[in-house]
Amino acid sequence: MKKVFFSLMLAAALAFGFISCDKTTTTSDTHSQTFTLGETSYPVDNVVTIENIQSDGSDVYNAILLYTGKLIGDTGGECKGVTIIFKGDIIDGTYNLSGDDNYFPKYVFADVSINNIINFDIWELADDNAYIATSGSFTLENTDDGYVVTTSSIEVENTWDPSIVETSSVDYEGASATYRLATVQEGTLNDGEADANVVTAGTTKYTLMVVETNVACFITDSGDMIGFTSMQSFADGVPEGQYTNSDYPIIQVNIMDLEHFHPATSGSISVAKDGDVYTIDITDAAINGKTYNMHYVGTLPYFNLPI
């Protein structure tokens, strides 16, 4: 049942947790800035490009996600959206679509929420009535800050009941935020009770308690995160060295909700680098009644949030 698609959606959804509460899209005089399923039309509120999605060993995928609403913050929740998944680079052109499992690009309409994806289950997502395109085409044009995406005669098939077939479309011109997933060699986080796998990492800036803060983030397969913050930018990388919680305050968040973080009262950080591969350890971080230890080896890409 579309195994590759579902593993890609997990990786992409983890990135969704970082998307700003503000819109990333722009207005257009020539495009409606909408996507559809059947007779229902939805505004495109946010667009994000997910790069370096790794699946099936050596395969690397990239995706464009266009969705309505937002996923984090006090009014965040379930969103509907269209995901276009490329095997390899996102290249301009007109692409025909197929329902064949091994055919790319794929065009998918799905309900997306942080909660049901970080606690990921193939059949739960299928039960949420995802639709995968089986025919039609879309045209993509890269612009300076985003894309022009238009479609023609797309039919989509329900993943739970293939006899349910609808039409779908996208008509969008505008900006896209970009998020690059890390290449992880090793990654574990222990909260004093159990280990969790670190599945991606990165650095960014974010507004925490009204202050723009730089954050190094390490995200587990359950959607939780540990990281450390700085008033200095991490855009050029995290400096090597040994640090304490006073140097780089350590934080922990649940379900990628950076607006409600838990600060550490103590802990230490070790940062080493070989080329673009970091080895980072967070040791004995006392957070909210637990003691956290993390070990990470991998890249640490920077992504600039639209805040």
Side-chain angles (χ1 to χ4, degrees):
M1 174 67 191
K2 307 285 190 301
K3 182 178 180 181
V4 171
F5 158 67
F6 287 115
S7 61
L8 293 175
M9 285 302 293
L10 172 59
L14 290 171
F16 261 135
F18 284 115
I19 299 308
S20 167
C21 296
D22 297 331
K23 291 186 177 184
T24 61
T25 57
T26 54
T27 59
S28 171
D29 294 330
T30 56
H31 297 272
S32 65
Q33 311 296 65
T34 60
F35 61 92
T36 67
L37 180 71
E39 299 297 320
T40 305
S41 178
Y42 304 89
V44 177
D45 290 329
N46 285 288
V47 179
V48 61
T49 304
I50 310 298
E51 298 180 343
N52 196 39
I53 304 169
Q54 299 173 49
S55 180
D56 298 340
S58 61
D59 290 330
V60 176
Y61 301 82
N62 297 280
I64 302 169
L65 302 99
L66 309 96
Y67 63 100
T68 187
K70 64 178 184 177
L71 294 170
I72 64 173
D74 292 339
T75 60
E78 187 172 84
C79 297
K80 295 182 183 297
V82 167
T83 303
I84 303 174
I85 305 165
F86 292 79
K87 191 173 184 178
D89 295 337
I90 298 174
I91 300 173
D92 286 10
T94 297
Y95 297 89
N96 293 321
L97 296 165
S98 168
D100 185 280
D101 284 3
N102 297 316
Y103 185 90
F104 285 87
K106 290 194 180 301
Y107 175 106
V108 183
F109 178 100
D111 292 334
V112 181
S113 72
I114 293 297
N115 192 46
N116 71 3
I117 291 180
I118 59 173
N119 300 299
F120 194 75
D121 180 272
I122 288 175
W123 299 112
E124 284 186 9
L125 184 59
D127 194 41
D128 283 342
N129 292 320
Y131 290 80
I132 297 179
T134 56
S135 63
S137 66
F138 72 90
T139 298
L140 172 75
E141 178 187 347
N142 281 270
T143 65
D144 290 340
D145 64 350
Y147 305 102
V148 178
V149 184
T150 57
T151 58
S152 177
S153 303
I154 291 179
E155 288 193 345
V156 290
E157 181 182 280
N158 186 272
T159 56
W160 187 251
D161 183 354
S163 69
I164 300 175
V165 177
E166 295 279 5
T167 60
S168 184
S169 66
V170 172
D171 186 32
Y172 176 74
E173 176 185 16
S176 173
T178 299
Y179 176 68
R180 184 172 181 82
L181 293 171
T183 299
V184 181
Q185 297 181 8
E186 304 173 25
T188 57
L189 173 65
N190 185 281
D191 64 357
E193 298 177 358
D195 286 333
N197 294 320
V198 175
V199 294
T200 195
T203 60
T204 189
K205 62 181 180 181
Y206 198 83
T207 301
L208 294 175
M209 299 179 67
V210 196
V211 177
E212 186 175 285
T213 307
N214 300 278
V215 188
C217 312
F218 305 88
I219 308 164
T220 73
D221 51 8
S222 62
D224 296 333
M225 188 203 87
I226 195 167
F228 50 87
T229 66
S230 173
M231 298 307 296
Q232 303 300 314
S233 175
F234 288 143
D236 295 325
V238 178
E240 294 183 87
Q242 305 291 322
Y243 306 100
T244 68
N245 188 55
S246 298
D247 301 315
Y248 288 157
I250 301 167
I251 62 171
Q252 185 269 339
V253 300
N254 297 316
I255 319 179
M256 294 311 307
D257 184 2
L258 281 169
E259 295 184 1
H260 301 90
F261 65 93
H262 304 289
T265 56
S266 62
S268 61
I269 303 161
S270 172
V271 181
K273 189 178 181 184
D274 183 7
D276 63 350
V277 176
Y278 285 86
T279 299
I280 298 179
D281 290 282
I282 296 176
T283 305
D284 294 337
I287 305 172
N288 205 28
K290 295 184 177 182
T291 300
Y292 289 83
N293 287 277
M294 186 207 72
H295 175 67
Y296 177 79
V297 180
T299 61
L300 206 60
Y302 180 80
F303 52 101
N304 189 8
L305 287 176
I307 59 175

